[in-house]
């Protein structure tokens, strides 16, 4: 059921950014997600939706190999980034993360000045251009420049939650990634801040490929071009295993899904 | 058949409310008084030190010396003030510490220089050793390794200081003598062992601070393409800075106040300067020296240990206040 | 789907003209150096502890025998023993426990159960933090003034009692903190249940809370006592004599304790005395080890989870 629907969006002619094939993630001996096969095209916004525990964040963290940091995590199957296997020996996770940025669920600015928050990533990655300009550009792109331009030396922690999250987005785009992964970026924000971040996502999509995990279905329908719906099932041992149910254009998922599970979920009948 | 529930029979219930209330009050007052003992300790320390320190500065020894200098007797309240200023000036500016000689001199900086030197060496040992151990325990060691390493640090922290003194004098000094010309008593080996003594303190308190840095900050750094070391040095350590600094300051004040190691290994020779290879005398070593001798209460030497104790107390107090201030100023609040 | 050579990944796909030169080799090299430094620090700590223990064992074990434990100190190293110091330490420990336990536990109960969140509790908390930074020798100066001189009629001057009172003040903050932590670990629902039955606060504390907290309090108490057993400086300051060839008869007797006896032997020039100092250290360390083992045993045996 997965294989057919998952590649519906690949018909479009534009270039593929990320691809997974039969992706499986284990924590220790427990399978967390199975059989995820999907293609993500360049410069599109892809939303991952589904009930909690369905592994959507786990899949997201595979794209920049954040799961490497969890000693017990193990990834099977294939993920490619522009055709290159992410787990090939020649791919270095540190280098990869420079090109695939990430924004987290809770705003996590470093306990440094606003300026340093942006400059940090650029500096460690050997940025050779004009740092002041990069900081300004990134803050502008993240639509927060006007609010912070007079207090660049103040701590990033002094900002409000919504501002902190936009600072984190600015921080992510400062190192010129191609893909930005967003793990429920608005779940800790109030509605107004959420709206601003969503507007920002719309603008960023001109330049970046964005994968966003959300359990707010309205948000998915507002910001994304394509949507992947994940669900979870319990195994005999009581563990939850997530799997990809359906992946298609967002309008299709929300209005004319192929699977009944999806239909039930998006119409609010469960989850 | 109906049974009378006991509760309906009010005659069976005779709680002694008055007695209970009295017991409650007396327990509260008694335990409150116990709690006050810790405050009384502080008050006692401060008053004892202030009282005997004044006695020291107003001692007849200084009064007579001053009288000799100006050629007339020093009397009255004005005379007290003059004596105080005279002795304070000598206390702070003399370059010799010879309180037990007939021509006594009381240059406290002679003792302070030795204390600063031994504590400084201790910090040079304990800061890298303690901080790196803390990083190892919280970031590099697996849970299993950590559960073996932590008790080792705890054992090191529980070794009595007299044992460290033995170690400094009879193990480290002979060891050092194989490489550098140090004398039998020297500030270097005392300082090194002092550093070993405070290392567990730096390590365990710093580890608490490092451990408290939320995982999301580390993830944020990794997601920007930072390596493990870059994450630790640029993000984790700055985030834990206030805890690390306060652990270090606490450790420094422990080193400054430490007695047995410096008494046994650094020697008993008051000497101004910062040569770590020769015997010196720290503030605490002086207090021990006088205490071991038969010094009658009220004598000048007896008062001197309180003046030295006061100096020691003030230095550690300033460090404590600085540490409080630093933590308040630089602590980051995470959810 | 096209499969590209991994090596071309960097050049082909970068959307921006790149200003980044990641210099990964150098960064990873520094990472490895850093990891080595971090592990070296831990290894050094282990080596130091090992060499300390081995050094003491080599020097001290040969002279450690029954005679060493049962003889009084002597000017001749081969006849010198620790009897008076061991007994002095035991007397000291018991006296400190008798004085400090009720004081510290009472204070802890007061602060946690009767006066939580009052200005008085805050004052004492700040005060205890400050006392933690006060060098132990300063407590000795306090003891010398208050217990040895002012209270001489009661304490008998430079006596066991003066020493024990001084050490009690020194470890009081440790016991208070341990008591408060142990009480805080008792779930509030137990207290509520007691109050709901009409018990007064003291009845609740005595009957419900305290029995549950007691293992934690005892653990803290033993750790505090092991600190007191190892302390030397404050006792030297109040003038504990180092050559005592008799056992303490009462609390007003002059006394010596193990660390002071060890200090005395280490500070002598003859190597023979250094060796028996090492023997003394073994005795002291074994005693501390036993106490700590008791503390760990208590903690594990009575640890309850709510």
């Amino acid at each position: 059921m997965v294989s057919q629907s998952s590649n519906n969006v690949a018909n479009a002619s534009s270039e593929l950014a990320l691809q997974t094939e039969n992706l499986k993630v284990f924590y220790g001996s427990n399978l967390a997600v199975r059989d995820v096969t999907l293609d993500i095209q360049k410069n599109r916004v892809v939303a991952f939706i589904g009930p909690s525990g369905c592994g959507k964040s786990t899949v997201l963290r595979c794209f920049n190999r954040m799961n490497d940091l969890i000693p017990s995590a193990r990834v099977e199957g294939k993920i490619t980034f522009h055709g290159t296997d992410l787990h090939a020996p020649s791919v270095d996770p540190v280098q990869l993360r420079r090109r695939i940025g990430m924004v987290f669920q809770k705003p996590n600015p470093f306990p440094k000045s606003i300026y340093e928050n942006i400059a940090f990533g650029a500096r460690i990655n050997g940025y050779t251009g004009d740092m002041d300009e990069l900081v300004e550009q990134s803050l502008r792109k993240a639509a927060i420049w006007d609010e912070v331009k007079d207090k660049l030396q103040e701590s990033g922690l002094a900002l409000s939650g919504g501002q902190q999250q936009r600072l984190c987005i600015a921080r992510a785009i400062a190192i010129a990634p191609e893909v930005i992964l967003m793990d429920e970026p608005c779940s800790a924000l109030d509605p107004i801040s959420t709206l601003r971040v969503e507007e920002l996502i719309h603008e960023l999509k001109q330049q970046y490929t964005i994968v966003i995990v959300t359990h707010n279905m309205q948000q998915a329908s507002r910001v994304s071009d394509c949507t992947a719906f994940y669900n979870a099932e319990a195994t005999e041992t009581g563990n939850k295993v997530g799997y990809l149910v359906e992946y298609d254009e967002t309008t299709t998922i929300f209005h004319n899904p192929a699977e009944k599970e999806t239909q039930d979920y998006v119409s609010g009948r469960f989850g | 058949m109906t049974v009378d529930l006991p509760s309906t029979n009010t005659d069976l219930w005779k709680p002694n409310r008055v007695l209970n209330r009295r017991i409650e009050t007396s327990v509260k007052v008694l335990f409150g008084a116990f709690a006050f003992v810790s405050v009384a300790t502080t008050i006692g320390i401060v008053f004892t030190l202030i009282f005997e320190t004044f006695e020291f500065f107003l001692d007849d020894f200084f009064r007579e010396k001053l009288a000799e200098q100006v050629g007339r007797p020093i009397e009255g309240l004005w005379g007290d003030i003059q004596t105080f200023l005279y002795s304070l000036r000598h206390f702070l500016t003399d370059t010799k510490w010879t309180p037990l000689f007939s021509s006594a001199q009381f240059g406290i900086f002679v003792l302070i220089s030795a204390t600063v030197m031994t504590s400084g060496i201790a910090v040079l040992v304990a800061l890298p050793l303690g901080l790196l151990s803390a990083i190892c325990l919280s970031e590099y060691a697996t849970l299993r390794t950590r559960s073996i390493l932590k008790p080792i640090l705890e054992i090191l922290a529980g070794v009595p200081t007299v044992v460290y003194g033995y170690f400094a004098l009879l193990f480290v000094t002979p060891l050092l003598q194989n490489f550098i010309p140090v004398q039998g008593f020297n500030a270097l080996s005392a300082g090194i062992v002092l550093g070993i003594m405070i290392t567990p303190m730096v390590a365990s308190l710093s580890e608490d601070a490092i451990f408290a840095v939320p995982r999301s900050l580390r993830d944020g750094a990794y997601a920007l393409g930072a390596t493990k070391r870059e994450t630790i040095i640029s993000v984790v350590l700055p985030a834990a800075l206030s805890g690390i600094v306060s652990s270090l300051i606490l450790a420094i004040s422990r080193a400054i106040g430490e007695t047995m190691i410096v008494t046994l290994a650094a020697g008993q020779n008051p000497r101004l300067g910062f040569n770590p290879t020769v015997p010196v005398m720290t503030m605490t070593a002086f207090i021990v020296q006088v205490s071991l001798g038969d010094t009658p209460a009220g004598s000048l030497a007896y008062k001197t240990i309180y003046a030295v104790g006061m100096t020691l107390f003030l230095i550690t107090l300033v460090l404590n206040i600085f540490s409080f201030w630093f933590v308040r100023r630089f602590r980051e609040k995470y959810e | 789907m096209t499969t590209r050579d991994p090596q071309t990944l960097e050049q082909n796909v970068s959307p921006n003209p790149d200003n980044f030169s990641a210099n990964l080799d150098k960064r990873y090299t520094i990472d490895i150096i850093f990891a080595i430094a971090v592990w070296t620090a831990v290894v050094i700590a282990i080596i130091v502890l090992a060499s300390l223990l081995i050094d003491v064992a080599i020097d001290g074990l040969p002279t450690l025998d029954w005679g060493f434990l049962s003889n009084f100190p002597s000017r001749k190293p081969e006849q010198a023993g620790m009897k008076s110091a061991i007994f002095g330490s035991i007397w000291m420990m018991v006296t400190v426990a008798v004085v400090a336990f009720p004081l510290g536990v009472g204070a802890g109960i007061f602060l946690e159960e009767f006066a939580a969140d009052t200005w008085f509790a805050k004052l004492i908390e700040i005060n205890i933090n400050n006392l933690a930074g006060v060098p132990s020798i300063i407590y000795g100066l306090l003891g010398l003034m208050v217990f040895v001189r002012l209270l001489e009629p009661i304490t008998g001057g430079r006596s066991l009692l003066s020493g024990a009172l001084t050490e009690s003040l020194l470890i009081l903050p440790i016991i208070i903190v341990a008591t408060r932590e142990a009480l805080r670990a008792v779930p509030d629902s137990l207290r509520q249940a007691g109050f709901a039955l009409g018990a007064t606060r003291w009845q609740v504390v005595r009957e419900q809370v305290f029995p549950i907290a007691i293992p934690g309090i005892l653990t803290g108490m033993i750790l505090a006592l092991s600190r007191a057993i190892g302390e030397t400086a404050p006792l030297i300051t109040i003038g504990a004599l180092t050559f005592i060839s008799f056992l303490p008869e009462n609390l007003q007797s002059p006394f010596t304790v193990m660390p002071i006896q060890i200090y005395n032997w280490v500070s002598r020039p003859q190597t023979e005395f250094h060796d028996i100092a090492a023997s003394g250290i073994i005795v002291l360390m074994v005693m501390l080890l036993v106490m700590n083992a008791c503390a760990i045993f208590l903690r594990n045996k009575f640890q309850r989870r709510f």
Side-chain angles (χ1 to χ4, degrees):
Chain A
M1 61 180 177
V2 177
S3 52
Q4 283 161 4
S5 53
S6 66
N7 281 324
N8 289 354
V9 282
N11 303 332
S13 57
S14 72
E15 196 184 343
L16 290 178
L18 287 161
Q19 261 188 310
T20 67
E21 256 180 74
N22 295 324
L23 184 67
K24 278 186 190 153
V25 185
F26 298 84
Y27 290 117
S29 56
N30 294 332
L31 181 63
V33 196
R34 61 170 170 81
D35 305 329
V36 176
T37 302
L38 49 73
D39 299 340
I40 294 171
Q41 284 160 334
K42 223 178 141 185
N43 291 4
R44 302 200 83 176
V45 179
V46 175
F48 285 4
I49 61 169
S52 47
C54 66
K56 48 197 193 301
S57 292
T58 305
V59 173
L60 191 77
R61 291 168 68 93
C62 290
F63 292 139
N64 62 347
R65 286 180 59 179
M66 286 298 273
N67 286 327
D68 289 16
L69 302 171
I70 302 167
S72 65
R74 198 172 85 246
V75 177
E76 276 179 16
K78 201 171 178 191
I79 317 174
T80 53
F81 177 44
H82 290 285
T84 307
D85 186 351
L86 280 190
H87 289 94
S90 63
V91 173
D92 180 273
V94 167
Q95 204 171 9
L96 174 76
R97 292 183 196 127
R98 215 274 294 127
R99 302 179 58 198
I100 302 184
M102 189 165 201
V103 176
F104 295 84
Q105 190 167 5
K106 264 201 290 189
N108 57 350
F110 302 131
K112 300 167 181 276
S113 69
I114 293 169
Y115 185 97
E116 281 301 314
N117 259 282
I118 309 291
F120 170 69
R123 200 170 287 137
I124 55 169
N125 286 296
Y127 181 68
T128 50
D130 181 353
M131 192 63 83
D132 289 353
E133 197 188 306
L134 179 77
V135 170
E136 181 175 341
Q137 284 299 324
S138 312
L139 289 168
R140 275 188 194 284
K141 274 194 213 160
I144 192 182
W145 171 251
D146 289 332
E147 290 155 70
V148 301
K149 65 182 173 200
D150 299 324
K151 46 180 182 182
L152 291 177
Q153 295 312 318
E154 282 176 32
S155 167
L157 289 165
L159 299 171
S160 74
Q163 289 173 324
Q164 287 188 5
Q165 194 61 302
R166 277 177 286 143
L167 177 66
C168 291
I169 295 175
R171 180 176 80 185
I173 58 189
I175 50 173
E178 294 143 55
V179 180
I180 302 175
L181 309 173
M182 296 187 170
D183 189 358
E184 300 190 31
C186 301
S187 65
L189 303 185
D190 61 81
I192 294 173
S193 305
T194 301
L195 186 65
R196 303 212 53 177
V197 172
E198 285 180 13
E199 285 167 2
L200 181 58
I201 293 171
H202 265 296
E203 279 161 40
L204 293 175
K205 114 182 187 194
Q206 314 303 324
Q207 241 185 311
Y208 307 96
T209 308
I210 294 173
V211 186
I212 177 170
V213 167
T214 174
H215 48 221
N216 177 338
M217 280 183 283
Q218 282 76 29
Q219 185 169 61
S221 65
R222 280 194 299 265
V223 301
S224 67
D225 303 312
C226 301
T227 297
F229 170 60
Y230 292 81
N231 205 349
E233 63 188 5
T235 61
E236 310 88 70
T237 53
N239 294 312
K240 263 181 159 183
V241 180
Y243 57 97
L244 178 64
V245 177
E246 191 171 0
Y247 175 51
D248 213 322
E249 299 285 340
T250 299
T251 46
T252 315
I253 291 285
F254 279 93
H255 299 292
N256 191 20
E259 302 291 332
K260 182 160 184 308
E261 276 178 83
T262 317
Q263 174 72 50
D264 288 350
Y265 187 76
V266 297
S267 59
R269 238 173 279 160
F270 108 110
Chain B
M1 175 179 148
T2 56
V3 181
D4 241 1
L5 284 172
S7 59
T8 55
N9 184 355
T10 45
D11 294 344
L12 284 175
W13 301 87
K14 293 197 179 70
N16 200 336
R17 302 272 183 229
V18 177
L19 180 66
N20 280 347
R21 206 176 310 127
R22 285 207 183 127
I23 292 175
E24 181 93 0
T25 314
S26 21
V27 163
K28 213 171 157 175
V29 168
L30 183 68
F31 285 4
F34 288 175
F36 188 73
V37 170
S38 87
V39 180
T41 308
T42 309
I43 296 172
I45 287 172
V46 170
F47 272 86
T48 305
L49 291 177
I50 289 178
F51 178 76
E52 290 289 345
T53 305
F54 267 101
E55 290 276 297
F56 167 76
F57 283 125
L58 295 176
D59 194 86
D60 284 344
F61 172 82
F62 296 108
R63 199 180 292 267
E64 278 156 24
K65 264 181 103 173
L66 180 59
E68 219 172 277
Q69 237 175 43
V70 295
R72 59 182 167 75
I74 304 293
E75 284 161 344
L77 180 65
W78 175 236
D80 283 351
I81 296 172
Q82 275 182 304
T83 311
F84 183 82
L85 293 175
Y86 174 82
S87 45
L88 182 64
R89 199 182 78 225
H90 279 274
F91 191 65
L92 295 177
T93 59
D94 277 358
T95 54
K96 285 209 171 70
W97 180 266
T98 53
L100 306 177
F101 291 9
S102 51
S103 62
Q105 285 201 53
F106 297 90
I108 187 68
F109 277 99
V110 176
L111 302 186
I112 291 181
S113 76
T115 296
V116 167
M117 180 161 52
T118 50
S119 311
I121 295 168
V123 170
L124 291 182
V125 172
L127 180 61
L129 219 52
L131 191 54
L132 289 175
S133 303
I135 293 171
C136 184
L137 286 179
S138 74
E139 307 286 317
Y140 284 86
T142 59
L143 278 179
R144 232 186 101 79
T145 325
R146 188 169 178 272
S147 67
I148 301 168
L149 293 177
K150 268 222 121 165
I152 291 179
L153 280 179
E154 276 164 19
I155 295 175
L156 271 175
V159 173
T161 54
V162 69
V163 179
Y164 279 120
Y166 171 92
F167 186 62
L169 180 68
L170 300 173
F171 184 84
V172 176
T173 298
L175 189 71
L176 286 177
Q177 279 169 335
N178 292 332
F179 307 103
I180 34 176
V182 292
Q183 299 189 18
F185 296 105
N186 63 81
L188 186 60
S189 70
I192 291 172
V193 175
L194 211 49
I196 292 166
M197 182 199 87
I198 60 174
T199 293
M201 193 171 188
V202 177
S204 116
L205 294 177
S206 297
E207 203 229 334
D208 290 345
I210 291 172
F211 196 74
V213 173
R215 159 130 217 111
S216 66
L217 274 188
R218 294 181 175 85
D219 280 354
Y222 283 123
L224 290 174
T227 63
K228 186 166 191 169
R229 168 202 40 110
E230 287 162 346
T231 302
I232 293 168
I233 289 183
S234 312
V235 174
V236 177
L237 291 188
L241 185 68
S242 70
I244 292 171
V245 169
S246 79
S247 81
L248 187 67
I249 293 175
L250 203 58
I252 293 174
S253 84
R254 182 64 64 82
I256 287 174
E258 200 344 85
T259 311
M260 300 322 294
I261 298 173
V262 288
T263 307
L264 281 169
Q268 308 272 328
N269 306 48
R271 192 193 302 260
L272 188 64
F274 294 97
N275 180 354
T277 63
V278 295
V280 291
M281 181 188 249
T282 64
M283 292 189 276
T284 49
F286 171 73
I287 298 177
V288 168
Q289 187 195 33
V290 172
S291 303
L292 287 176
D294 191 20
T295 318
S299 67
L300 182 58
Y302 177 85
K303 294 170 189 167
T304 314
I305 61 174
Y306 281 89
V308 173
M310 183 75 177
T311 314
L312 187 62
F313 181 73
L314 284 179
I315 293 174
T316 53
L317 188 69
V318 166
L319 283 172
N320 264 341
I321 292 171
F322 175 75
S323 153
F324 268 118
W325 171 82
F326 192 91
V327 169
R328 284 179 79 103
R329 170 78 179 68
F330 289 98
R331 180 166 50 198
E332 306 286 359
K333 283 242 162 76
Y334 305 103
E335 281 157 32
Chain C
M1 186 182 111
T2 53
T3 312
R4 289 183 208 179
D5 188 52
Q7 269 77 23
T8 59
L9 190 140
E10 185 66 36
Q11 307 120 38
N12 279 356
V13 228
S14 243
N16 330 35
D18 235 352
N19 277 325
F20 292 97
S21 56
N23 207 352
L24 271 180
D25 288 346
K26 188 177 155 205
R27 287 163 68 195
Y28 275 132
T29 311
I30 303 177
D31 262 52
I32 290 168
I33 294 170
F34 185 70
I36 292 172
V38 155
W39 282 106
T40 310
V42 173
V43 170
I44 288 176
I46 295 172
I47 290 175
V48 166
L49 181 63
S51 48
L52 191 154
L53 296 178
I54 291 168
D55 181 46
V56 168
I58 289 174
D59 293 349
L61 278 180
T63 46
L64 182 64
D65 51 23
W66 179 248
F68 178 74
L69 297 176
S70 58
N71 284 353
F72 285 114
S74 164
R75 301 200 190 287
K76 295 180 191 135
E78 62 276 12
Q79 290 172 12
M82 274 206 117
K83 188 174 183 184
S84 51
I86 293 172
F87 275 83
S89 278
I90 292 171
W91 273 78
M92 174 69 74
M93 189 162 70
V94 172
T95 319
V96 169
V98 167
V99 173
F101 184 79
L103 274 183
V105 173
I109 290 177
F110 178 81
L111 293 174
E112 199 58 33
E113 301 289 336
F114 291 103
D117 295 321
T118 59
W119 64 269
F120 188 62
K122 279 188 196 105
L123 173 79
I124 290 177
E125 205 160 323
I126 294 170
N127 182 55
I128 285 174
N129 282 334
N130 265 317
L131 284 179
V134 174
S136 60
I137 198 164
I138 301 278
Y139 284 89
L141 292 179
L142 174 73
L144 178 60
M145 172 85 162
V146 176
F147 300 130
V148 175
R149 284 184 56 206
L150 293 180
L151 300 178
E152 189 174 358
I154 303 169
T155 59
R158 300 168 187 270
S159 65
L160 194 70
L161 184 58
S162 296
L165 291 174
T166 308
E167 298 242 354
S168 299
L169 292 186
L170 182 67
I171 64 167
L172 202 54
I174 307 176
I175 302 172
I176 295 178
V177 170
T179 304
R180 294 188 70 175
E181 275 170 8
L183 291 173
R184 214 169 299 157
V186 177
D188 220 33
S189 55
L190 268 176
R191 294 185 184 84
Q192 306 289 353
F195 292 138
L197 292 175
T200 63
R201 198 165 256 284
W202 169 238
Q203 285 170 329
V204 168
V205 170
R206 196 188 55 200
E207 305 290 339
Q208 313 288 333
V209 179
F210 192 65
I212 294 175
I214 223 165
I217 295 173
L218 283 182
T219 309
M221 185 73 205
I222 293 173
L223 293 179
L225 281 180
S226 65
R227 163 95 195 270
I229 287 300
E231 272 293 348
T232 324
L235 297 182
I236 290 181
T237 315
I238 67 157
L241 292 173
T242 51
F243 192 86
I244 299 276
S245 53
F246 51 86
L247 298 180
E249 284 163 3
N250 55 40
L251 288 176
Q252 292 176 332
S253 299
F255 70 107
T256 186
V257 291
M258 287 194 278
I260 288 189
Q261 188 63 60
I262 293 164
Y263 166 73
N264 178 265
W265 285 330
V266 178
S267 60
R268 292 191 191 199
Q270 303 93 324
T271 342
E272 293 81 7
F273 278 114
H274 294 166
D275 291 344
I276 59 171
S279 312
I281 288 175
I282 295 173
V283 176
L284 177 62
M285 299 273 275
V286 166
M287 189 155 165
L288 288 175
L289 204 66
V290 169
M291 290 174 72
N292 277 290
C294 285
I296 292 169
F297 173 77
L298 264 179
R299 190 163 58 193
N300 292 346
K301 174 141 198 218
F302 293 102
Q303 204 163 41
R304 294 189 213 183
R305 300 238 170 259
F306 291 98

